[in-house]
Amino acid sequence: MADSSKILNRARTFTIGDFSKLTGVHINSLLYYEKLGILRPTRGDRRTGYRHYTQTQLRVVEAIQLCVRAGLSLEGFRHFQQDGGERHIRYDRLLESAAVSLRRAIRDATALLREVQSVQALQRQGEAVAAGGVHEVRVAEHRCIVRAVAPGENPDDAYFALLRGMGKARLRMGYDNGALFIRRNGVERRYLYVDIAEPWEAGPVAPPCLRLPAARWQSQAVQGAILEPDADLPEGDCVVMERDLFTGDFAIDPPRLERLVSTTLQRRLPKWLTA
């Protein structure tokens, strides 16, 4: 009688291969669940390595997959198992944690969508400038870190130093990076700037931060660079910004350049830029 019961119980279990097909979970994932201690085979053969699962364990896999889809860590799945076992699942805890995780994911995805849409707008603007002529473009307010370029200094060395400082400050660069030429009251300064993509907090290793106000610029595609000593620049007080021309077919090396000119923005920038 006992032998008949064992045979019957064995017939009602699934091999790991069949269990994988039934749940849609890869065998390697099932082995990982076993390693974490959140889904142990009902029966296993140490000699052959065969593993068997019961139909009731389908519910455990269902809960585990909910964790996976909600972006929750499987290392903490034991928190949802009553007394650390598989016979009970705390769905109240699981569903609340999943809801919190998904709300966070929606918030992050919404922020990323806004970023993508802003870059799309920048691309459309770049396409118009690349087509030729002078265009009036609006550049939204953004923050950047800046580094002055001394006369005779190699711009590549200055840019490398700027990026190293940015790394020490744990800042992620954005899409709008380039050079600035500022002339105010006849005093000229040249800078490299890198747009900040992440929230910025001042620290002992942080480079100077500049807030560029939203403004309208006269923009056109150019060949030369404003960091060159003989650059052809406007007369009088002005701000000239030069950046990569952002188009759908983006040229990385050598880049195409966009030059933007404002004759009023220098009045709204900090005085230390030309002190």
Side-chain angles (χ1 to χ4, degrees):
M1 187 68 177
D3 291 338
S4 299
S5 177
K6 289 181 179 179
I7 294 173
L8 184 60
N9 289 337
R10 182 175 301 177
R12 289 177 178 172
T13 61
F14 303 97
T15 65
I16 191 171
D18 289 339
F19 200 65
S20 172
K21 294 174 183 177
L22 185 60
T23 59
V25 177
H26 196 278
I27 290 177
N28 289 340
S29 295
L30 294 174
L31 295 175
Y32 179 61
Y33 301 162
E34 179 182 349
K35 181 179 179 181
L36 292 178
I38 59 178
L39 180 70
R40 296 184 177 90
T42 300
R43 183 170 53 82
D45 188 323
R46 292 182 179 180
R47 183 176 58 84
T48 63
Y50 291 161
R51 290 167 169 81
H52 293 262
Y53 300 84
T54 65
Q55 61 184 16
T56 59
Q57 289 181 297
L58 292 171
R59 286 297 190 183
V60 182
V61 175
E62 183 181 69
I64 292 174
Q65 286 302 292
L66 177 57
C67 273
V68 172
R69 301 202 321 270
L72 298 175
S73 170
L74 288 183
E75 283 76 4
F77 186 77
R78 283 179 175 272
H79 176 68
F80 309 126
Q81 292 179 311
Q82 186 73 28
D83 300 324
E86 295 182 21
R87 296 180 64 84
H88 298 273
I89 297 175
R90 289 300 303 266
Y91 259 98
D92 51 350
R93 298 174 183 173
L94 173 55
L95 294 174
E96 179 58 29
S97 297
V100 171
S101 178
L102 291 170
R103 284 193 290 266
R104 185 185 304 116
I106 291 171
R107 181 194 64 206
D108 293 344
T110 301
L112 180 57
L113 177 59
R114 287 196 297 266
E115 179 181 338
V116 169
Q117 290 172 333
S118 67
V119 177
Q120 285 180 316
L122 184 62
Q123 176 194 326
R124 289 191 293 268
Q125 178 178 293
E127 299 283 357
V129 172
V134 178
H135 299 261
E136 183 179 78
V137 299
R138 186 181 185 279
V139 178
E141 178 183 288
H142 61 99
R143 289 184 298 179
C144 55
I145 58 174
V146 295
R147 186 187 188 280
V149 181
E153 184 179 12
N154 186 318
D156 290 336
D157 293 338
Y159 188 59
F160 181 73
L162 177 60
L163 293 179
R164 288 194 64 180
M166 186 175 183
K168 291 180 180 179
R170 299 180 181 276
L171 301 174
R172 183 169 68 87
M173 65 187 301
Y175 297 93
D176 193 358
N177 314 304
L180 286 171
F181 170 86
I182 302 172
R183 186 190 294 121
R184 183 165 52 191
N185 298 326
V187 179
E188 298 180 357
R189 293 286 188 274
R190 287 175 169 82
Y191 296 87
L192 286 166
Y193 75 92
V194 176
D195 195 38
I196 300 172
E198 296 291 339
W200 183 80
E201 295 182 4
V205 298
C209 178
L210 171 66
R211 183 184 296 275
L212 282 174
R216 292 193 175 277
W217 303 71
Q218 297 298 313
S219 175
Q220 66 181 125
V222 295
Q223 296 295 328
I226 61 175
L227 295 181
E228 297 175 357
D230 57 348
D232 183 18
L233 298 170
E235 298 292 334
D237 289 354
C238 62
V239 178
V240 181
M241 180 166 63
E242 190 172 78
R243 61 188 183 183
D244 292 346
L245 185 57
F246 198 86
T247 59
D249 180 17
F250 183 68
I252 296 177
D253 189 22
R256 291 175 290 180
L257 300 176
E258 175 185 16
R259 182 172 297 175
L260 304 97
V261 178
S262 171
T263 57
T264 60
L265 188 59
Q266 80 280 356
R267 305 169 194 162
R268 302 164 59 190
L269 297 181
K271 292 184 178 180
W272 59 262
L273 289 167
T274 51

